[in-house]
Amino acid sequence: MTKVAVVFAPGCEEVEGLTVIDVLRRLGIETKMVGLESKEVMGAHNIKLTCDEVLGDQLLDYDLVAFPGGMGGSQHLRDNEKLQQLMVQRNKEGKWDAAMCAAPIALAHYGLLDNHDYTCFPGINEQIQEEVPTARFHEDITVVDKDAKILTSRGPATALAYAFKIAEVLGTDTKQIKKDMLYDYLAQNI
């Protein structure tokens, strides 16, 4: 069975993480909320999140690990040495990872965007370019770099697209859920 972990850090953008949890669980994909430092995490908008587990070596067992953004949360993700070690190991093992909004700064800091394609929240790309000049920024809603097995997205409004793309890279058909959640209707009427 496919397993996904979403890592929540203090100051995270709640909607970006919870949207992934919601969509993947609707699809029947085992998805866990992982607290970076504890099971209780306060988001950027003072929404208290209760995670299923706390960060540990179990992160190596997931098929994909996703990061929500939020500047504060993304900085915590970037600066956590244990998380960095686990993410570098996951990358060496050829496992999928995803980050959206400001969170690609963590992947850049870990050295995982070197010579790879990505997207992020407007302006964050300038910070990433300073740290990783060879990373290739795109303005698309989601960017999948198949060679790096890294998926990235832009910001809060792109959280559904991000969640659907995560399911798709893991081999799950999203056609029906997009219809059921009115995503297709929204895309056609915006």
Side-chain angles (χ1 to χ4, degrees), residues 71-182:
M71 201 58 210
S74 298
Q75 290 169 343
H76 284 286
L77 296 170
R78 178 195 64 201
D79 298 339
N80 187 289
E81 290 181 20
K82 173 71 172 174
L83 180 59
Q84 179 175 349
Q85 291 167 359
L86 291 167
M87 296 301 284
V88 168
Q89 182 62 37
R90 288 180 52 75
N91 185 263
K92 286 179 184 172
E93 293 176 8
K95 295 188 175 177
W96 278 99
D97 294 307
M100 72 174 300
C101 193
I105 64 169
L107 300 182
H109 183 72
Y110 305 161
L112 303 181
L113 292 183
D114 193 25
N115 289 309
H116 293 296
D117 298 315
Y118 76 98
T119 194
C120 61
F121 192 81
I124 297 297
N125 53 302
E126 293 164 13
Q127 293 178 41
I128 290 173
Q129 289 306 131
E130 286 177 22
E131 187 150 8
V132 187
T134 61
R136 298 180 297 268
F137 173 71
H138 301 273
E139 291 186 348
D140 300 335
I141 292 171
T142 58
V143 171
V144 176
D145 188 306
K146 290 181 182 174
D147 292 337
K149 288 202 169 176
I150 290 176
L151 185 163
T152 49
S153 190
R154 306 284 327 251
T158 68
L160 277 172
Y162 178 64
F164 294 137
K165 192 59 75 175
I166 287 170
E168 291 163 6
V169 300
L170 293 172
T172 300
D173 183 354
T174 60
K175 185 177 180 182
Q176 188 61 48
I177 195 168
K178 285 178 179 177
K179 182 178 184 227
D180 294 347
M181 293 182 76
L182 298 182

Side-chain angles (χ1 to χ4, degrees), residues 29-40:
I29 296 171
E30 184 181 333
T31 309
K32 297 283 186 177
M33 295 173 65
V34 179
L36 181 65
E37 300 159 351
S38 68
K39 280 191 176 185
E40 300 290 320

Side-chain angles (χ1 to χ4, degrees), residues 43-65:
H45 302 98
N46 294 318
I47 299 171
K48 187 160 104 175
L49 305 165
T50 303
C51 296
D52 302 303
E53 56 192 36
V54 178
L55 178 74
D57 290 344
Q58 83 278 17
L59 220 58
L60 298 174
D61 299 331
Y62 287 95
D63 298 293
L64 184 143
V65 170

